[in-house]
């Protein structure tokens, strides 16, 4: 499915569902499920550009900020394909750690230290990659008062040490509890409903309380109309979503009965779940629409998944938060088991690739000769140390980058 998908309506329909601004062909596209959550479906027939921008800089930003730890941990790209946000000053047993957008941990430290001992100057680099060394050599040379070429000459005469360390226990905040995040979720439910329901109806009195909650932060609506839901989903529907949209699937489900009572069900990363009463009565009658997505693969989503997993209105209208802590704990354990299994697999693949690249050139045949035995033993040792999280050191030779004036080392 394409990123920008219109909602099947052939003409622009009047006003924004949240204010009185007209919708036009130039209206800014709204992500139904937030872009930060991997949402790909967009619409221009729900809210105006002004409301879109207002939500984006307020409640949607809060929502995105609350899930950034999970996004980085599981490497969840946004709907438009952007990498997860970096994380800074995350507490670990080894001190504060930063996580780059690609999920790589990076311990906070000075990239280089210059120490003068009489006429002798010592430069120690603490970098995590050759690219980072390239970035800081000019700064170190300037601080010492020598040219980059002279510093590279000195570096090439020395051996470096490649140290592999592990951050140990990491303290993440994995909660999604701010009222603004709930407002953002309710807004997404309303926008999804707008793709199949008249804007005039959504602007009517039946949805006034919800609109007020989204726009004006009227928290009194939360009493009885915004509920955490600790229940397990019906097994058939749950298994279908997990099999087709991954173990951390997202789901927005909106359904109404014959009297227009309209219920929304929001399941985030298959961990946190809320039920929202969008209208007590007089909403659209017998409406049903659902959107599911795989945040681990943002190209896998479906805005018509209600055809596959139809949930009964009575079930949707009966939230129960009893035991929600235990349910959430089980879901988190499932998520982190998935993370650990995937991380171990990726670590092993990286070790095999890096070791083979060290010992073989492209096109070389890999055999169990002396060179092959060395490579296999090195792979086995590195994998064992990685699984046990035992630090390891390797000596490396530093070579300046290729340039017009220097041949590669």
């Amino acid at each position: 499915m394409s990123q920008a998908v219109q909602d099947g309506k052939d003409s622009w329909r009047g006003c924004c569902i949240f204010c009185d601004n007209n919708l036009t062909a130039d209206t800014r596209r709204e992500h139904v499920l937030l872009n930060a959550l991997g949402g790909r479906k967009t619409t221009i027939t729900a809210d105006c550009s002004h409301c879109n921008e207002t939500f984006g800089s307020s409640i949607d930003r809060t929502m995105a900020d609350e899930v950034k730890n999970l996004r980085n941990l599981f490497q969840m790209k946004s709907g438009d394909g952007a990498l997860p946000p970096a994380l800074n000053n995350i507490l670990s047993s080894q001190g504060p750690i930063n996580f780059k957008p690609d999920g790589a941990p990076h311990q906070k430290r000075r990239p280089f230290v210059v120490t003068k001992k009489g006429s002798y100057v010592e430069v120690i680099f603490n970098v995590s990659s050759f690219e980072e060394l390239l970035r800081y050599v000019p700064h170190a040379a300037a601080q010492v008062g020598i040219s980059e070429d002279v510093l590279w000459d000195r570096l090439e005469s020395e051996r470096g040490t490649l140290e592999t360390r592990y951050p140990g226990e990491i303290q993440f905040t994995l909660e999604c509890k701010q009222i603004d995040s709930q407002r953002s979720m309710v807004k997404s439910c309303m926008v999804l409903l707008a793709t199949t329901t008249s804007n005039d109806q959504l602007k009517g009195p039946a949805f006034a309380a919800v609109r007020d909650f989204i726009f004006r932060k009227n928290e009194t609506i939360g009493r009885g109309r915004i509920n955490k839901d600790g229940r397990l989903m019906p097994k058939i529907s749950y298994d279908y979503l997990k099999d087709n949209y991954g173990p951390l699937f997202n789901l927005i489900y909106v359904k109404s009965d014959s009297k227009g009572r309209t219920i929304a069900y929001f399941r985030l990363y298959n961990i946190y779940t809320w039920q929202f009463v969008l209208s007590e009565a007089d909403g659209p009658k017998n409406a049903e629409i659902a959107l599911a997505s795989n945040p681990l693969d943002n190209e896998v989503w479906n805005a018509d998944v209600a055809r596959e997993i139809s949930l009964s209105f009575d079930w949707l209208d009966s939230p129960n938060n009893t035991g929600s802590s235990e349910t959430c704990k089980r879901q988190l354990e499932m998520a982190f088991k998935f993370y650990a299994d995937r991380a171990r697999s990726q670590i092993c693949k990286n070790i095999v690739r890096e070791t083979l690249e060290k010992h073989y050139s492209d096109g070389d045949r890999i055999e169990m000769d002396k060179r092959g035995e060395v490579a296999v033993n090195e792979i086995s040792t590195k994998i064992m140390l990685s699984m046990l999280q035992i630090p390891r050191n390797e000596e490396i030779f530093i070579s300046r980058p290729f340039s017009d004036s220097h041949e590669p080392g």
Side-chain angles (χ1 to χ4, degrees):
M1 290 180 141
S2 63
Q3 179 182 344
V5 178
Q6 199 164 321
D7 44 28
K9 294 164 184 173
D10 296 324
S11 61
W12 319 118
R13 302 164 311 144
C15 294
C16 167
I17 64 174
F18 300 112
C19 72
D20 293 328
N21 287 336
N22 289 324
L23 303 175
T24 71
D26 296 326
T27 295
R28 179 179 174 181
R29 286 194 169 273
E30 171 75 82
H31 284 80
V32 177
L33 178 68
L34 290 192
N35 182 43
L37 302 182
R40 296 287 294 269
K41 179 175 174 62
T42 62
T43 179
I44 57 175
T45 58
D47 55 345
C48 66
S49 298
H50 174 74
C51 288
N52 187 330
E53 292 169 6
T54 298
F55 297 143
S57 62
S58 56
I59 59 177
D60 291 348
R61 179 173 294 176
T62 299
M63 176 86 238
D65 190 58
E66 284 208 283
V67 300
K68 67 181 181 181
N69 289 350
L70 277 171
R71 286 190 59 204
N72 186 287
L73 186 66
F74 288 97
Q75 284 298 283
M76 299 173 180
K77 293 182 179 179
S78 64
D80 59 16
L83 288 174
L87 304 178
N88 296 318
N89 296 318
I90 302 299
L91 295 179
S92 79
S93 57
Q94 302 298 318
I97 288 181
N98 297 336
F99 285 84
K100 297 180 180 179
D102 64 0
H106 184 78
Q107 193 161 20
K108 294 185 67 178
R109 68 222 172 336
R110 297 177 65 182
F112 65 89
V113 177
V114 176
T115 304
K116 295 184 178 181
K117 301 177 180 178
S119 60
Y120 176 75
V121 178
E122 179 182 67
V123 182
I124 298 176
F125 287 91
N126 293 294
V127 293
S128 58
S129 65
F130 184 67
E131 289 72 22
E132 196 172 352
L133 177 65
L134 292 179
R135 189 159 67 247
Y136 288 110
V137 161
H139 299 285
Q143 187 168 330
V144 175
I146 59 177
S147 69
E148 291 180 42
D149 281 343
V150 170
L151 182 53
W152 275 115
D153 287 340
R154 303 286 176 82
L155 290 173
E156 288 183 311
S157 67
E158 300 290 338
R159 290 184 178 183
T161 301
L162 177 63
E163 299 182 353
T164 301
R165 297 287 181 263
Y166 300 92
E169 183 177 335
I170 297 172
Q171 299 180 34
F172 272 127
T173 299
L174 299 176
E175 293 183 297
C176 191
K177 62 182 182 180
Q178 292 195 46
I179 191 71
D180 277 0
S181 293
Q182 295 171 7
R183 293 169 67 205
S184 177
M185 285 184 262
V186 174
K187 184 263 298 182
S188 290
C189 296
M190 287 286 285
V191 171
L192 178 63
L193 185 59
T195 64
T196 190
T197 302
S198 161
N199 282 26
D200 289 341
Q201 189 163 36
L202 296 181
K203 286 177 67 65
F207 294 93
V210 161
R211 292 197 309 272
D212 193 51
F213 172 70
I214 294 170
F215 232 157
R216 297 182 178 85
K217 201 173 181 178
N218 176 7
E219 298 182 18
T220 59
I221 188 179
R223 298 169 187 169
R225 294 186 64 170
I226 296 179
N227 307 288
K228 286 188 176 180
D229 195 346
R231 299 172 299 167
L232 296 176
M233 287 185 67
K235 183 174 176 16
I236 293 176
S237 297
Y238 180 84
D239 289 345
Y240 178 87
L241 289 166
K242 191 174 178 182
D243 290 344
N244 289 274
Y245 300 98
L248 303 179
F249 64 84
N250 288 320
L251 175 68
I252 306 176
Y253 203 113
V254 183
K255 194 167 186 173
S256 63
D257 65 7
S258 59
K259 296 181 179 180
R261 179 174 171 83
T262 308
I263 304 297
Y265 179 84
F266 196 110
R267 196 172 185 95
L268 177 64
Y269 297 146
N270 192 22
I271 297 174
Y272 311 104
T273 309
W274 288 264
Q275 183 250 36
F276 307 114
V277 180
L278 301 183
S279 68
E280 298 283 7
D282 300 325
K285 294 179 174 57
N286 300 314
E288 184 176 29
I289 187 169
L291 183 153
S293 70
N294 183 350
L296 301 172
D297 182 354
N298 63 10
E299 294 188 7
V300 179
W301 61 279
N302 185 353
D304 197 22
V305 75
R307 294 176 181 270
E308 309 295 339
I309 61 159
S310 186
L311 300 174
S312 74
F313 183 84
D314 288 342
W315 185 86
L316 290 169
D317 200 22
S318 306
N320 188 338
N321 200 36
T322 302
S324 63
S325 296
E326 286 301 313
T327 300
C328 187
K329 181 181 177 181
R330 287 196 300 270
Q331 294 302 104
L332 281 170
E333 288 173 350
M334 175 275 298
F336 281 104
K337 182 182 183 302
F338 170 79
Y339 167 77
D341 291 344
R342 189 173 69 166
R344 279 193 293 268
S345 176
Q346 190 59 51
I347 287 171
C348 291
K349 289 178 182 178
N350 290 342
I351 288 174
V352 171
R353 175 180 54 79
E354 292 168 1
T355 304
L356 292 181
E357 288 177 352
K358 174 182 173 182
H359 291 280
Y360 293 91
S361 300
D362 288 343
D364 284 356
R365 182 183 179 87
I366 301 175
E367 298 178 346
M368 281 308 294
D369 51 15
K370 189 172 182 178
R371 179 170 56 159
E373 290 178 0
V374 170
V376 168
N377 288 337
E378 187 173 327
I379 289 171
S380 300
T381 299
K382 287 181 176 180
I383 289 177
M384 179 188 69
L385 294 175
S386 294
M387 294 302 102
L388 296 175
Q389 295 202 359
I390 298 174
R392 68 177 190 268
N393 296 339
E394 295 178 66
E395 282 194 343
I396 59 173
F397 293 93
I398 299 173
S399 177
R400 76 180 69 200
F402 175 75
S403 67
D404 292 338
S405 58
H406 294 93
E407 293 298 322

